[in-house]
Structure formats: C-alpha cells, structure tokens
Amino acid sequence: MRFHPVYIGRRTAIAAALFAVAAGASAQAFPSKPIRLVVPFPAGGPTDTASRIVGQRLSEKLKQPVLVDNRAGASGSIAAAAVAKSPADGYTLMMLATPTLLAPHLYKQAGYDIVRDFAPVATVYGLPIVMVVNPQQLPKVDSLQALIAAAKAQPGKLNYTSSGVGSFGHLTTELLKDLGGFDMQHVPYKGGVPAITDLLGGQVPMMYADMVAALPHIQSGRLRAIAVGSPQRVPFTPDVKTTAEQGFPGFDAVSWGGLLAPAGTPKEVVDLLAREVQQILAEKEVQERLLKAGTIPMYQAPDQMAARIRSDNDKWGKVIRDKGIVAD
C-alpha cells in the first residue's frame, strides 16, 4: 500500500501538533501530586523553620501538599546526595543552606557536586552571623578593631570558638584573620549550643555566631555584639556595625538558604516555582514570620542564585583548601 507524500506530511504535522499540545498540557498541569521538600537539618532550626513557612504558602498557592522531609547528617550532604539522584521533575526539592554548599569541600565522599548536580530555583532567606564576645573575659573589646588589637598584643594566645570544624563561623574567622593580619586559636565544639554555652561561661572569649543563637544573649547583655558579617547592618542589631564598616571594605559573610531542584528539571517548572517563591516572599506576613525566626527574607531568581552558588563555592572552597580544613 502506497501513501501519498502529502498525506504522510499531513499526518506527521497532526502528530507533532498533538504532541505539542500534550506537552503544553503536561507543563501546565504541574504540580499534579504532592511535592517533597527535603530539609538537610533537624527540625526546629532556622533552615527548617524557613522551609515550613515557605512550604506552607507554596502548598496553598499550588493547591498541592508540600511535605517537609528532614534528613540530617554530615552538614546536609546525606540529603543533598539523595536529592541529586532524584527524578528531575520538580516533585523533589531541597532547601539548600550554606553548610551543605560547603560540604563537598570538607567531606571526601559528599556524593554530589553543588554546581553540576542541581538546578537553582530561588534564594529564600539570609541568616546573619555576628561576632560576639564575653564582656567579662574581654571587658575593653567593644569593636572589631579593639578585638584585633587584643589579638595582636598576645599572638596566638586568644581563643575563639565555633560550632565545629568547617562551620561557617570557623571559615569566616579564618578569612578575617588573614585579612586583618592577626592570629587566634580555634577551639571547635560539636554544635552551636555547646559553643554558646561555654562562651557564656567564659571558657572561650569570642565567636562568630549565627544571629538566631546569639540574639537572646546580646539582648540580655551577657554577650556583646561587635560586628556583623553581612555587607549591610541587620534589623536585629541595627546599632552594630558591619565588618566592612570597621576596616574591611567588601567583606561579605552571610549564611543563606534557597530552593534547589535536581539538575535537568524542566525550565518551565523551575520558572513557575521561582515566580511563586518571589510572590510568597513579597507577602508582609511571610516576611514578618521569617524575621521572627531570625532570618531575613531574600529573593533571588534562578540565574542569580546560580551565580551566588558559584561565587560562594569558589570563595569558601579556597579558604578551606588554603587552611587545610577537613571535617571531623
């Protein structure tokens, strides 16, 4: 049986048109089932809280459940490695946080490449860090320059703490030491709570702490805030100068979080999710809830988030390599 060329061409065109309609309908149908939002840290922390605030509104807007799945361990690398291998269909997302961005530099078997294995969706929040001192241990230190002077007066003898080897507070202090030409000894703890506890008790005199952990003690006067790591002052401590304002122009150390999807997720799905997140973060109630949780609402589009990931990956990766830092 022979087919006329015109008939074949017409049938092909009809099939292509039907395929295009079906593909368009499929894209428009997203989401048609629940979305899993993986949080690579335990419940209750700032990353988890921000995920639940945004996830709740995303669920309401998309009319599908957004199910928060906490998978803690190895600075988030366990969760990230699993998400990287998930289907690239938009139904599995992860709330990236700075420790998870840094983990491949600190763990030999992290199991993922932060640049290659994910599709950035949108940044969600910033988590300011603040340099705090115990005023009983360092009564004359009320500024960053005063701290540096105290450190230079006794090279290598002044201690600082952090929530662990390779933590953001550890890396930020090491970067500042190099820029300021001074030395202090690192006394790491396994977690922010024991580090803050011993800072309050006077066992160690200072640290770069995340604002959520430090703010109650700053407000009570038990800790003195002398510098924030962000380029701008933060609303929680508006009178505290930035590190940049105190002799280090361009200094930028902000822990942050944002949504990632597995690499290969369709662009139309990523763009849809990004638009929804942008609208959610513009809502006054959401902004107030994020601020109450100690985080600062911060939207960046997919391409901006991708640039930020590359920049932070290069910047902090260099600090880790130069210092020979390896996670416990």
Side-chain angles (χ1 to χ4, degrees):
M1 183 176 181
R2 298 180 63 188
F3 291 95
H4 193 281
V6 174
Y7 176 76
I8 295 175
R10 183 178 301 163
R11 187 170 66 174
T12 303
I14 291 171
L18 289 173
F19 177 81
V21 170
S26 176
Q28 291 172 2
F30 176 87
S32 57
K33 62 181 181 179
I35 295 171
R36 183 167 64 110
L37 174 52
V38 178
V39 177
F41 300 100
T47 301
D48 175 72
T49 303
S51 299
R52 292 177 187 277
I53 292 169
V54 173
Q56 177 188 345
R57 285 295 292 126
L58 196 59
S59 174
E60 293 166 355
K61 288 172 69 63
L62 296 178
K63 296 179 172 54
Q64 287 290 345
V66 174
L67 308 174
V68 174
D69 180 6
N70 295 91
R71 289 196 177 189
S75 296
S77 60
I78 294 172
V83 171
K85 296 177 178 66
S86 298
D89 54 11
Y91 289 100
T92 300
L93 305 174
M94 183 181 78
M95 184 65 81
L96 172 69
T98 296
T100 310
L101 188 156
L102 301 175
H105 296 285
L106 297 165
Y107 296 90
K108 293 181 180 180
Q109 304 296 328
Y112 62 94
D113 183 300
I114 195 66
V115 174
R116 181 193 64 211
D117 293 340
F118 298 96
V121 175
T123 59
V124 172
Y125 70 89
L127 180 60
I129 61 171
V130 57
M131 182 178 284
V132 287
V133 301
N134 182 314
Q136 302 300 317
Q137 297 298 311
L138 296 172
K140 297 181 179 180
V141 173
D142 57 2
S143 69
L144 183 55
Q145 292 302 332
L147 176 71
I148 293 172
K152 287 183 175 180
Q154 41 185 334
K157 294 184 178 180
L158 192 62
N159 294 332
Y160 77 94
T161 187
S162 77
S163 60
V165 174
S167 66
F168 196 56
H170 177 201
L171 301 183
T172 301
T173 310
E174 290 298 314
L175 176 61
L176 185 65
K177 281 167 52 179
D178 286 351
L179 294 174
F182 65 97
D183 191 24
M184 292 189 296
Q185 293 301 311
H186 183 215
V187 181
Y189 283 74
K190 290 188 178 296
V193 172
I196 288 279
T197 298
D198 273 13
L199 177 62
L200 292 167
Q203 282 78 11
V204 283
M206 64 81 58
M207 72 179 292
Y208 256 123
D210 75 62
M211 187 65 75
V212 174
L215 188 58
H217 308 298
I218 295 170
Q219 292 171 334
S220 72
R222 296 185 68 192
L223 294 179
R224 178 186 295 142
I226 63 172
V228 293
S230 53
Q232 301 85 27
R233 298 191 192 191
V234 297
F236 311 109
T237 54
D239 296 330
V240 179
K241 293 180 179 180
T242 66
T243 304
E245 287 179 292
Q246 299 185 68
F248 298 91
F251 190 90
D252 183 354
V254 178
S255 187
W256 59 277
L259 290 178
L260 291 177
T265 300
K267 185 177 185 301
E268 60 268 24
V269 171
V270 170
D271 289 345
L272 182 153
L273 290 168
R275 287 194 299 271
E276 296 293 348
V277 171
Q278 183 179 25
Q279 293 171 11
I280 288 168
L281 293 178
E283 296 174 6
K284 185 177 180 181
E285 181 182 354
V286 169
Q287 293 175 358
E288 290 174 347
R289 291 177 67 192
L290 287 170
L291 287 168
K292 187 176 180 180
T295 60
I296 297 177
M298 181 183 69
Y299 173 79
Q300 289 178 307
D303 58 340
Q304 295 171 312
M305 183 178 175
R308 183 167 195 158
I309 288 173
R310 290 193 297 270
S311 175
D312 276 13
N313 186 56
D314 292 345
K315 174 181 177 178
W316 298 112
K318 183 178 186 303
V319 173
I320 291 167
R321 290 191 302 274
D322 288 352
K323 300 289 183 177
I325 299 170
V326 178
D328 294 338

